């Protein structure tokens, strides 16, 4: 009896099915990685936008006239709370690598320093405010660049990394 033809047919079928399964596994992994990157991108975007909202709303609250100290305190705290910065920071801690979480913590601490100063002295023109704003801006740019690198984005780096776009109040 001739066994070569059936054995080669079975061998070919095994190779064909194995190749198809391997190709399907690679496609599934690639799609999973793409979905994970899209999820991280969305979380990164939400955190950066929440940070920006918190900063803008704190400044707006500090500029309001006719507020008592307790009203200003409440509004400046509410500016951060309503921005959803804390919620986005928690989401970031579940999706981002540890170095990005650490940078996000630095951005959050920079915003907290601005908040504390604006409660103490509600002026956006003083040297202390300008210094804290520059620190926040630089930390935020560093965080955005780390996020871009984590997402595999190409191109030139964020132009604000290491450069503050306003007058340089940093010593």
């Amino acid at each position: 009896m001739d066994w070569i033809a059936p054995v080669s047919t079975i061998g070919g079928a095994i190779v064909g099915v194995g190749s198809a399964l391997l190709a399907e596994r690679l496609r599934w992994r690639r799609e999973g990685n793409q979905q994970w990157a899209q999820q991280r991108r969305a979380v990164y975007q939400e955190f950066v936008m929440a940070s920006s909202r918190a900063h803008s709303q704190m400044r707006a609250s500090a500029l309001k006239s006719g507020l008592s100290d307790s009203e200003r305190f409440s509004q400046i705290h509410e500016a951060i709370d309503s921005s959803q910065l804390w919620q986005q920071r928690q989401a970031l801690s579940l999706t981002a690598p540890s170095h990005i979480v650490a940078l996000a913590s630095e951005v959050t601490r920079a915003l907290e320093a601005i908040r504390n100063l604006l409660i103490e002295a509600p002026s956006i023109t003083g040297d202390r405010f300008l210094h804290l704003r520059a620190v926040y801006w630089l930390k935020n740019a560093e965080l955005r660049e780390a996020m871009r690198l984590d997402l595999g984005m190409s191109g030139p780096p964020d132009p604000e990394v290491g450069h503050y776009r306003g007058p340089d109040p940093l010593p």
Side-chain angles (χ1 to χ4, degrees):
M1 179 177 236
D2 187 15
W3 290 94
I4 293 177
V7 168
S8 64
T9 301
I10 292 172
I14 291 172
V15 168
V17 169
S19 297
L21 289 174
L22 179 61
E24 181 62 24
R25 171 75 174 149
L26 292 175
R27 184 185 64 77
W28 175 79
R29 184 180 294 167
R30 184 177 56 249
E31 286 176 1
N33 288 342
Q34 288 172 345
Q35 288 174 348
W36 182 242
Q38 288 173 349
Q39 182 181 4
R40 277 196 333 266
R41 181 187 308 265
V43 170
Y44 290 176
Q45 179 182 353
E46 287 298 322
F47 179 82
V48 170
M49 289 182 353
S51 166
S52 179
R53 277 192 306 269
H55 179 255
S56 296
Q57 291 170 0
M58 283 191 302
R59 286 183 43 229
S61 296
L63 291 173
K64 286 184 182 176
S65 61
L67 295 178
S68 69
D69 288 345
S70 65
E71 289 171 328
R72 187 172 318 285
F73 177 90
S74 295
Q75 286 198 9
I76 290 174
H77 271 275
E78 180 61 27
I80 287 186
D81 293 343
S82 68
S83 72
Q84 297 188 335
L85 180 68
W86 310 125
Q87 295 90 333
Q88 296 306 324
R89 169 66 183 76
Q90 295 303 319
L92 194 66
S93 70
L94 295 174
T95 56
S98 60
H99 70 284
I100 290 178
V101 173
L103 288 170
S105 293
E106 290 179 24
V107 167
T108 303
R109 281 193 297 278
L111 283 170
E112 290 170 339
I114 291 172
R115 177 200 62 201
N116 295 341
L117 176 64
L118 289 176
I119 288 170
E120 177 187 317
S123 169
I124 63 167
T125 58
D127 288 342
R128 285 180 59 207
F129 175 80
L130 294 175
H131 172 75
L132 291 176
R133 183 180 66 179
V135 169
Y136 162 69
W137 213 268
L138 292 169
K139 294 289 181 190
N140 200 19
E142 188 178 346
L143 172 63
R144 289 191 318 266
E145 184 60 21
M147 289 173 169
R148 284 172 35 90
L149 291 174
D150 182 53
L151 293 171
M153 297 175 74
S154 60
D158 188 317
E160 293 179 352
V161 172
H163 304 285
Y164 181 59
R165 68 179 182 174
D168 190 12
L170 294 175

PDB file of all heavy atoms in Angstrom, residues 24-36:
ATOM      1  N   GLU A  24      -3.783  33.833  12.612  1.00  0.00           N
ATOM      2  CA  GLU A  24      -4.928  34.350  13.362  1.00  0.00           C
ATOM      3  C   GLU A  24      -4.493  34.825  14.738  1.00  0.00           C
ATOM      4  O   GLU A  24      -4.940  35.869  15.222  1.00  0.00           O
ATOM      5  CB  GLU A  24      -6.009  33.276  13.483  1.00  0.00           C
ATOM      6  CG  GLU A  24      -7.248  33.718  14.209  1.00  0.00           C
ATOM      7  CD  GLU A  24      -7.990  34.859  13.530  1.00  0.00           C
ATOM      8  OE1 GLU A  24      -7.846  35.045  12.302  1.00  0.00           O
ATOM      9  OE2 GLU A  24      -8.706  35.588  14.240  1.00  0.00           O
ATOM     10  N   ARG A  25      -3.624  34.113  15.391  1.00  0.00           N
ATOM     11  CA  ARG A  25      -3.111  34.488  16.719  1.00  0.00           C
ATOM     12  C   ARG A  25      -2.337  35.801  16.635  1.00  0.00           C
ATOM     13  O   ARG A  25      -2.500  36.680  17.486  1.00  0.00           O
ATOM     14  CB  ARG A  25      -2.228  33.366  17.273  1.00  0.00           C
ATOM     15  CG  ARG A  25      -1.475  33.698  18.524  1.00  0.00           C
ATOM     16  CD  ARG A  25      -2.371  33.712  19.718  1.00  0.00           C
ATOM     17  NE  ARG A  25      -1.554  33.889  20.901  1.00  0.00           N
ATOM     18  CZ  ARG A  25      -1.951  34.496  21.976  1.00  0.00           C
ATOM     19  NH1 ARG A  25      -3.173  34.949  22.053  1.00  0.00           N
ATOM     20  NH2 ARG A  25      -1.167  34.623  22.999  1.00  0.00           N
ATOM     21  N   LEU A  26      -1.504  35.944  15.621  1.00  0.00           N
ATOM     22  CA  LEU A  26      -0.745  37.180  15.450  1.00  0.00           C
ATOM     23  C   LEU A  26      -1.667  38.364  15.168  1.00  0.00           C
ATOM     24  O   LEU A  26      -1.464  39.466  15.686  1.00  0.00           O
ATOM     25  CB  LEU A  26       0.292  37.012  14.340  1.00  0.00           C
ATOM     26  CG  LEU A  26       1.439  36.042  14.639  1.00  0.00           C
ATOM     27  CD1 LEU A  26       2.321  35.870  13.397  1.00  0.00           C
ATOM     28  CD2 LEU A  26       2.254  36.501  15.821  1.00  0.00           C
ATOM     29  N   ARG A  27      -2.693  38.142  14.357  1.00  0.00           N
ATOM     30  CA  ARG A  27      -3.661  39.208  14.068  1.00  0.00           C
ATOM     31  C   ARG A  27      -4.422  39.595  15.324  1.00  0.00           C
ATOM     32  O   ARG A  27      -4.610  40.772  15.614  1.00  0.00           O
ATOM     33  CB  ARG A  27      -4.654  38.761  12.982  1.00  0.00           C
ATOM     34  CG  ARG A  27      -5.629  39.867  12.553  1.00  0.00           C
ATOM     35  CD  ARG A  27      -6.665  39.363  11.562  1.00  0.00           C
ATOM     36  NE  ARG A  27      -7.538  38.352  12.107  1.00  0.00           N
ATOM     37  CZ  ARG A  27      -8.561  38.588  12.945  1.00  0.00           C
ATOM     38  NH1 ARG A  27      -8.811  39.810  13.345  1.00  0.00           N
ATOM     39  NH2 ARG A  27      -9.313  37.610  13.385  1.00  0.00           N
ATOM     40  N   TRP A  28      -4.825  38.613  16.115  1.00  0.00           N
ATOM     41  CA  TRP A  28      -5.560  38.865  17.355  1.00  0.00           C
ATOM     42  C   TRP A  28      -4.686  39.675  18.327  1.00  0.00           C
ATOM     43  O   TRP A  28      -5.155  40.621  18.949  1.00  0.00           O
ATOM     44  CB  TRP A  28      -5.972  37.523  17.974  1.00  0.00           C
ATOM     45  CG  TRP A  28      -6.625  37.645  19.296  1.00  0.00           C
ATOM     46  CD1 TRP A  28      -7.922  37.995  19.554  1.00  0.00           C
ATOM     47  CD2 TRP A  28      -6.021  37.420  20.569  1.00  0.00           C
ATOM     48  NE1 TRP A  28      -8.165  37.998  20.897  1.00  0.00           N
ATOM     49  CE2 TRP A  28      -7.005  37.644  21.554  1.00  0.00           C
ATOM     50  CE3 TRP A  28      -4.749  37.041  20.978  1.00  0.00           C
ATOM     51  CZ2 TRP A  28      -6.754  37.518  22.910  1.00  0.00           C
ATOM     52  CZ3 TRP A  28      -4.502  36.913  22.335  1.00  0.00           C
ATOM     53  CH2 TRP A  28      -5.497  37.148  23.281  1.00  0.00           C
ATOM     54  N   ARG A  29      -3.406  39.309  18.437  1.00  0.00           N
ATOM     55  CA  ARG A  29      -2.487  40.018  19.327  1.00  0.00           C
ATOM     56  C   ARG A  29      -2.279  41.454  18.843  1.00  0.00           C
ATOM     57  O   ARG A  29      -2.279  42.394  19.637  1.00  0.00           O
ATOM     58  CB  ARG A  29      -1.152  39.297  19.400  1.00  0.00           C
ATOM     59  CG  ARG A  29      -0.194  39.957  20.405  1.00  0.00           C
ATOM     60  CD  ARG A  29       1.126  39.260  20.489  1.00  0.00           C
ATOM     61  NE  ARG A  29       0.956  37.930  21.046  1.00  0.00           N
ATOM     62  CZ  ARG A  29       1.870  36.990  21.025  1.00  0.00           C
ATOM     63  NH1 ARG A  29       3.043  37.229  20.443  1.00  0.00           N
ATOM     64  NH2 ARG A  29       1.655  35.812  21.551  1.00  0.00           N
ATOM     65  N   ARG A  30      -2.112  41.647  17.540  1.00  0.00           N
ATOM     66  CA  ARG A  30      -1.914  42.978  16.987  1.00  0.00           C
ATOM     67  C   ARG A  30      -3.147  43.848  17.241  1.00  0.00           C
ATOM     68  O   ARG A  30      -3.025  45.004  17.658  1.00  0.00           O
ATOM     69  CB  ARG A  30      -1.622  42.887  15.488  1.00  0.00           C
ATOM     70  CG  ARG A  30      -1.309  44.215  14.841  1.00  0.00           C
ATOM     71  CD  ARG A  30      -0.949  44.096  13.363  1.00  0.00           C
ATOM     72  NE  ARG A  30      -1.993  43.433  12.599  1.00  0.00           N
ATOM     73  CZ  ARG A  30      -1.893  42.221  12.051  1.00  0.00           C
ATOM     74  NH1 ARG A  30      -0.787  41.529  12.171  1.00  0.00           N
ATOM     75  NH2 ARG A  30      -2.893  41.692  11.370  1.00  0.00           N
ATOM     76  N   GLU A  31      -4.338  43.303  17.031  1.00  0.00           N
ATOM     77  CA  GLU A  31      -5.568  44.061  17.289  1.00  0.00           C
ATOM     78  C   GLU A  31      -5.715  44.384  18.766  1.00  0.00           C
ATOM     79  O   GLU A  31      -6.148  45.479  19.129  1.00  0.00           O
ATOM     80  CB  GLU A  31      -6.781  43.286  16.777  1.00  0.00           C
ATOM     81  CG  GLU A  31      -6.905  43.285  15.280  1.00  0.00           C
ATOM     82  CD  GLU A  31      -8.077  42.432  14.787  1.00  0.00           C
ATOM     83  OE1 GLU A  31      -8.813  41.858  15.615  1.00  0.00           O
ATOM     84  OE2 GLU A  31      -8.247  42.357  13.557  1.00  0.00           O
ATOM     85  N   GLY A  32      -5.345  43.441  19.621  1.00  0.00           N
ATOM     86  CA  GLY A  32      -5.395  43.691  21.063  1.00  0.00           C
ATOM     87  C   GLY A  32      -4.450  44.808  21.467  1.00  0.00           C
ATOM     88  O   GLY A  32      -4.806  45.684  22.272  1.00  0.00           O
ATOM     89  N   ASN A  33      -3.255  44.806  20.899  1.00  0.00           N
ATOM     90  CA  ASN A  33      -2.289  45.869  21.190  1.00  0.00           C
ATOM     91  C   ASN A  33      -2.804  47.223  20.691  1.00  0.00           C
ATOM     92  O   ASN A  33      -2.622  48.240  21.357  1.00  0.00           O
ATOM     93  CB  ASN A  33      -0.930  45.553  20.562  1.00  0.00           C
ATOM     94  CG  ASN A  33      -0.217  44.428  21.276  1.00  0.00           C
ATOM     95  OD1 ASN A  33      -0.531  44.085  22.415  1.00  0.00           O
ATOM     96  ND2 ASN A  33       0.738  43.813  20.595  1.00  0.00           N
ATOM     97  N   GLN A  34      -3.448  47.224  19.529  1.00  0.00           N
ATOM     98  CA  GLN A  34      -4.000  48.470  18.999  1.00  0.00           C
ATOM     99  C   GLN A  34      -5.128  48.987  19.885  1.00  0.00           C
ATOM    100  O   GLN A  34      -5.214  50.185  20.154  1.00  0.00           O
ATOM    101  CB  GLN A  34      -4.501  48.266  17.570  1.00  0.00           C
ATOM    102  CG  GLN A  34      -3.388  48.115  16.556  1.00  0.00           C
ATOM    103  CD  GLN A  34      -3.913  47.720  15.179  1.00  0.00           C
ATOM    104  OE1 GLN A  34      -5.051  47.299  15.011  1.00  0.00           O
ATOM    105  NE2 GLN A  34      -3.051  47.863  14.171  1.00  0.00           N
ATOM    106  N   GLN A  35      -5.981  48.091  20.359  1.00  0.00           N
ATOM    107  CA  GLN A  35      -7.069  48.503  21.248  1.00  0.00           C
ATOM    108  C   GLN A  35      -6.518  49.038  22.563  1.00  0.00           C
ATOM    109  O   GLN A  35      -7.010  50.033  23.094  1.00  0.00           O
ATOM    110  CB  GLN A  35      -8.030  47.347  21.502  1.00  0.00           C
ATOM    111  CG  GLN A  35      -8.877  46.996  20.317  1.00  0.00           C
ATOM    112  CD  GLN A  35      -9.723  45.746  20.568  1.00  0.00           C
ATOM    113  OE1 GLN A  35      -9.525  45.022  21.532  1.00  0.00           O
ATOM    114  NE2 GLN A  35     -10.664  45.504  19.672  1.00  0.00           N
ATOM    115  N   TRP A  36      -5.495  48.396  23.100  1.00  0.00           N
ATOM    116  CA  TRP A  36      -4.881  48.837  24.348  1.00  0.00           C
ATOM    117  C   TRP A  36      -4.259  50.228  24.154  1.00  0.00           C
ATOM    118  O   TRP A  36      -4.398  51.099  25.007  1.00  0.00           O
ATOM    119  CB  TRP A  36      -3.852  47.824  24.813  1.00  0.00           C
ATOM    120  CG  TRP A  36      -3.200  48.153  26.106  1.00  0.00           C
ATOM    121  CD1 TRP A  36      -1.877  48.390  26.299  1.00  0.00           C
ATOM    122  CD2 TRP A  36      -3.808  48.278  27.391  1.00  0.00           C
ATOM    123  NE1 TRP A  36      -1.637  48.660  27.623  1.00  0.00           N
ATOM    124  CE2 TRP A  36      -2.812  48.601  28.318  1.00  0.00           C
ATOM    125  CE3 TRP A  36      -5.121  48.154  27.843  1.00  0.00           C
ATOM    126  CZ2 TRP A  36      -3.062  48.798  29.667  1.00  0.00           C
ATOM    127  CZ3 TRP A  36      -5.369  48.360  29.191  1.00  0.00           C
ATOM    128  CH2 TRP A  36      -4.364  48.666  30.084  1.00  0.00           C
TER     129      TRP A  36
END
